[in-house]
Amino acid sequence: MEKITRELLLSIHEYPKLWGNLQKFINKALCEITGNNQITHKRMKYMNIFIILILLLQNLVIGNNQNQSVPELSQELALKLRAEGLKRSSTFIDGGSACDQVERNTQANQDGYYYFCSDLDTYGEMYQYLEETFTHNIAKKLIESVVVVINNRLSYQSVGWGSMNDWSRAIGMIASRDENTITYKFKVPVFGDDYPTDEIQIEYKYITNKGWRINSPARLLR
């Protein structure tokens, strides 16, 4: 309804005929309500003022929405999101965090699959958990790459993620940006300094009413 109202009011600015039609419509409605079929100058005047006030208010709302800027994504926040994203993706591929020891060690089949813990045993819970740091598209790809249904339950295969990267010493710079997307290029030292520094690019996307989210594969966060 809000979208329709906005489009109608914007159309009135562009098409004077619609303005006249709206005046007639409001006047007819007033006549029906009051039982008075006479169109007075005073009534028309107040009707025009009413319509203009609606348009001004609508333009103010639209203008404020258009002027809302995307908040800056600092290196500190980008690294914090990466760390949280790694934590959540690691917890996800490990089946969740609400299993007791018996559940954790009970296999769903002989191929190394286990059932998800109770905190992540539905698709809805998985998406809600992952989308705290990832975009919906990345969360979807991660879920589709991990989840297998066994005995009508969501299951995962136990795998390990390892990395020699020392993210505590990472240095980042913005490689590219557009209206709501920023790509950071990080130079990440390796533990022990026996290997060359890794260069890893991570894309972040701003989601309205949510904030910045990681829009790169979870494996890049290691």
Side-chain angles (χ1 to χ4, degrees):
M1 177 62 71
E2 181 181 352
K3 181 179 179 181
I4 295 174
T5 303
R6 180 180 300 173
E7 290 177 351
L8 175 61
L9 292 173
L10 289 175
S11 297
I12 292 172
H13 276 303
E14 299 176 4
Y15 302 102
K17 184 178 179 180
L18 287 179
W19 172 274
N21 289 338
L22 183 59
Q23 288 178 318
K24 293 178 182 178
F25 174 80
I26 294 177
N27 188 73
K28 183 178 180 180
L30 289 173
C31 290
E32 290 290 337
I33 294 172
T34 62
N36 185 357
N37 293 324
Q38 184 179 3
I39 303 176
T40 65
H41 176 73
K42 185 176 181 180
R43 175 184 293 175
M44 183 65 68
K45 177 182 177 181
Y46 282 114
M47 183 168 55
N48 287 339
I49 294 174
F50 175 72
I51 295 174
I52 291 171
L53 287 174
I54 291 178
L55 290 172
L56 289 174
L57 179 60
Q58 189 69 28
N59 285 336
L60 179 63
V61 171
I62 294 173
N64 287 339
N65 288 337
Q66 290 176 341
N67 291 330
Q68 287 180 352
S69 59
V70 175
E72 187 61 41
L73 178 63
S74 66
Q75 174 185 283
E76 180 182 4
L77 178 55
L79 286 170
K80 183 178 179 181
L81 278 171
R82 183 221 64 92
E84 182 64 21
L86 178 63
K87 175 184 174 182
R88 288 179 181 262
S89 58
S90 298
T91 299
F92 170 72
I93 67 172
D94 200 31
S97 59
C99 290
D100 59 35
Q101 198 61 37
V102 174
E103 291 173 321
R104 183 75 69 186
N105 295 328
T106 302
Q107 295 192 21
N109 63 17
Q110 299 302 314
D111 296 324
Y113 281 88
Y114 297 81
Y115 298 122
F116 275 91
C117 303
S118 60
D119 57 331
L120 291 177
D121 61 357
T122 69
Y123 284 114
E125 289 170 329
M126 292 177 181
Y127 277 107
Q128 183 177 4
Y129 181 72
L130 292 173
E131 288 182 23
E132 287 295 320
T133 49
F134 295 98
T135 61
H136 176 77
N137 184 52
I138 295 299
K140 183 174 185 290
K141 289 180 179 179
L142 183 56
I143 290 170
E144 290 176 347
S145 69
V146 171
V147 177
V148 174
V149 179
I150 300 175
N151 300 325
N152 294 321
R153 294 182 61 181
L154 304 182
S155 308
Y156 67 97
Q157 191 172 35
S158 182
V159 295
W161 274 12
S163 174
M164 293 291 291
N165 291 330
D166 184 3
W167 280 92
S168 66
R169 295 187 291 153
I171 298 175
M173 61 178 294
I174 295 177
S176 66
R177 68 189 305 163
D178 59 23
E179 185 177 353
N180 63 345
T181 302
I182 291 179
T183 299
Y184 262 92
K185 180 170 69 175
F186 294 103
K187 291 186 177 181
V188 188
V190 177
F191 286 104
D193 296 321
D194 295 328
Y195 301 93
T197 299
D198 274 350
E199 287 194 356
I200 300 174
Q201 291 196 36
I202 300 176
E203 182 178 282
Y204 301 84
K205 185 173 183 179
Y206 184 78
I207 308 299
T208 304
N209 298 325
K210 290 185 177 182
W212 287 103
R213 295 293 187 267
I214 296 168
N215 197 40
S216 290
R219 65 178 181 274
L220 294 179
L221 309 181
R222 294 178 288 177

